[in-house]
């Protein structure tokens, strides 16, 4: 079982490396004047898709966070501060809530980057 997890992690790392290498190759191609309207259109569509997917992910995360905020009567920001200070205990729901807050933060960062890039 552990071997399967390790091999999946290794595969993901190869896939990420492969993705990064592909992006570098496209960047080098553009630097050498190898622009192609089909590639440009495809990349634009991929970025648009990614922006919409991140927006949807943020909506889904916000809905899940609202449920927890209503259940415990506090905002996720206040919860996060208290959780990080160790004031709330080790209940599993708090760890899940914190994971959702962190997921929301990372998705928002990526969306901000995508939107800034698409504005240029």
């Amino acid at each position: 079982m552990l071997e399967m997890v390790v091999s999946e992690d290794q595969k993901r790392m190869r896939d990420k490396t492969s993705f990064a290498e592909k992006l570098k190759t496209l960047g080098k191609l553009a630097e050498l004047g190898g622009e192609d309207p089909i590639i440009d259109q495809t990349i634009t569509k991929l970025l648009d898709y990614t922006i919409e997917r991140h927006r949807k992910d943020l909506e889904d995360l916000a809905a899940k966070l609202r449920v927890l905020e209503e259940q415990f009567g506090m905002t996720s920001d206040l919860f996060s501060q208290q959780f990080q200070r160790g004031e709330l205990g080790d209940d599993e729901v708090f760890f899940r809530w914190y994971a959702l807050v962190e997921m929301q933060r990372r998705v928002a960062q990526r969306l901000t980057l995508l939107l800034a890039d698409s504005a240029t």
Side-chain angles (χ1 to χ4, degrees):
M1 182 69 165
L2 180 59
E3 292 172 350
M4 194 162 73
V5 171
V6 171
S7 66
E8 285 298 314
D9 286 344
Q10 290 171 339
K11 183 180 183 304
R12 275 195 293 274
M13 289 304 290
R14 279 195 307 273
D15 291 347
K16 287 181 181 179
T17 301
S18 176
F19 176 73
E21 291 301 318
K22 289 174 187 174
L23 290 176
K24 285 181 188 177
T25 300
L26 285 174
K28 289 176 186 175
L29 183 64
E31 288 173 8
L32 294 172
E35 294 91 356
D36 181 308
I38 300 295
I39 292 173
D40 184 56
Q41 182 180 12
T42 302
I43 290 171
T44 299
K45 286 182 179 184
L46 286 170
L47 290 172
D48 290 345
Y49 164 79
T50 304
I51 287 169
E52 289 309 309
R53 192 189 85 221
H54 280 66
R55 284 181 172 150
K56 174 74 170 96
D57 289 348
L58 281 178
E59 288 175 16
D60 293 346
L61 287 164
K64 291 175 182 178
L65 289 170
R66 271 192 304 277
V67 169
L68 290 164
E69 289 171 345
E70 290 172 9
Q71 179 181 349
F72 291 96
M74 72 174 92
T75 66
S76 288
D77 286 339
L78 178 59
F79 157 77
S80 185
Q81 292 169 12
Q82 290 181 356
F83 183 76
Q84 287 177 336
R85 289 192 302 254
E87 297 173 359
L88 298 175
D90 294 334
D91 195 342
E92 183 181 334
V93 70
F94 294 144
F95 284 96
R96 286 197 313 264
W97 190 354
Y98 188 73
L100 289 171
V101 169
E102 286 301 302
M103 287 170 60
Q104 182 186 47
R105 183 186 60 77
R106 287 191 306 273
V107 171
Q109 281 180 321
R110 290 192 300 264
L111 181 58
T112 298
L113 175 70
L114 288 162
L115 291 172
D117 186 58
S118 69
T120 58

